[in-house]
Structure formats: structure tokens, C-alpha cells
Amino acid sequence: MSSAHQVNLSASASASRTFAGLPSILQAHMVALSRESFLYGASAYCAVNALLFTFKPEIPTADSFGEETAKTNRPVKLMTSVCGAMFGVLGTTAYVLARGHDAAVAVHCGLSLLPLRMAYDAFVEKITPPPPAIAMTVGIVGAGLLIARKYSR
């Protein structure tokens, strides 16, 4: 196989070796499109799982624990839907990264979903989230707000 057809997975490999034979301007775009496409794909994967785990937790619960548990075990269904929120965090982070924002902004956007999930638990499910989780969420999202304000000026 010629060097132009070989896939080079080394992090330090230059785009010119990976896409030999292409003009340098296209080489740079091919590398960027590859990463961008991966992040959009990861975002879509996480979004589908976030919707499934959050709004239909009985489906993945039944797959893991059986039909009876999915119908009767409310704590397991609740934790499955919390996993859906975590898929949402990861999917949002990947989407924001794919849009070209820096990592701190992307993580902040993803973590900003957690207060929404906690509010849903408190007001809809009538379950108070654990106080340490509330405190940590307020801390990390608050720090993200401060950093966003600091760098937006």
C-alpha cells in the first residue's frame, strides 16, 4: 500500500504525511473536517441516548434489568434518566466543541444542563437531589459563569 493510502494515527503526524498528494490547504481542511465530523457524530449519538434515557427510561432499564424491574423499580428508572442527563452533558459539550469553541466554554455549556435536571427532579419528580451534588453543581456552574464573563470582555 502506498504512503498516500495509509492511515496515520500518530498524534504528532503532520497533515502533509496523512494526506500526501493533496494541496496543503486541502490537507488542513481534511484534518479539521475529520475532527469536526467526529464531534458532531458524538453529539448526535449522545443526544439520541439522552432523549431515550431521559424520556423513556423504562426501555434501557428493561434491557438491563428486565421488564418487571423497569415497571416497578422507581429508583432504578430515576437513575437511568439521570444517566440520560449525563449523556446530554457529553453531547452538548461535543456539539459546542464541534462549533469551534474552546474546551472551557464547551464544558461549561454541557454542565449547565445539570441545574435543569436537578430542577426537574425537585419540581416534577418531587425528589430532592443530594445536597452535596447541589453544592458541587452550583460551584462548578458558577465558576464557569465567572470564567465566561472574564474571557468575554
Side-chain angles (χ1 to χ4, degrees):
M1 183 182 330
S2 72
S3 64
H5 293 95
Q6 292 177 347
V7 176
N8 193 337
L9 300 177
S10 171
S12 63
S14 69
S16 62
R17 284 196 336 216
T18 306
F19 300 105
L22 292 175
S24 61
I25 189 75
L26 287 177
Q27 292 174 11
H29 289 297
M30 293 296 286
V31 171
L33 286 175
S34 167
R35 290 178 181 164
E36 184 179 275
S37 297
F38 168 74
L39 289 169
Y40 279 125
S43 178
Y45 165 80
C46 290
V48 168
N49 280 299
L51 292 171
L52 176 67
F53 277 61
T54 300
F55 297 112
K56 287 291 191 179
E58 57 276 356
I59 294 173
T61 301
D63 289 346
S64 297
F65 301 108
E67 293 288 332
E68 187 63 32
T69 300
K71 292 177 184 173
T72 60
N73 194 330
R74 186 171 183 235
V76 171
K77 282 177 39 178
L78 180 68
M79 290 313 297
T80 301
S81 65
V82 169
C83 288
M86 296 311 291
F87 272 117
V89 167
L90 182 58
T92 301
T93 302
Y95 178 77
V96 174
L97 284 170
R99 301 283 297 161
H101 295 279
D102 69 25
V105 170
V107 170
H108 173 68
C109 289
L111 289 175
S112 294
L113 295 178
L114 292 179
L116 297 174
R117 174 61 206 200
M118 289 180 171
Y120 174 82
D121 284 343
F123 297 114
V124 176
E125 294 289 333
K126 307 294 186 207
I127 298 171
T128 304
I134 293 171
M136 289 187 297
T137 301
V138 167
I140 196 70
V141 173
L145 287 172
L146 293 175
I147 288 174
R149 287 189 64 162
K150 178 180 177 182
Y151 290 108
S152 67
R153 294 178 187 184

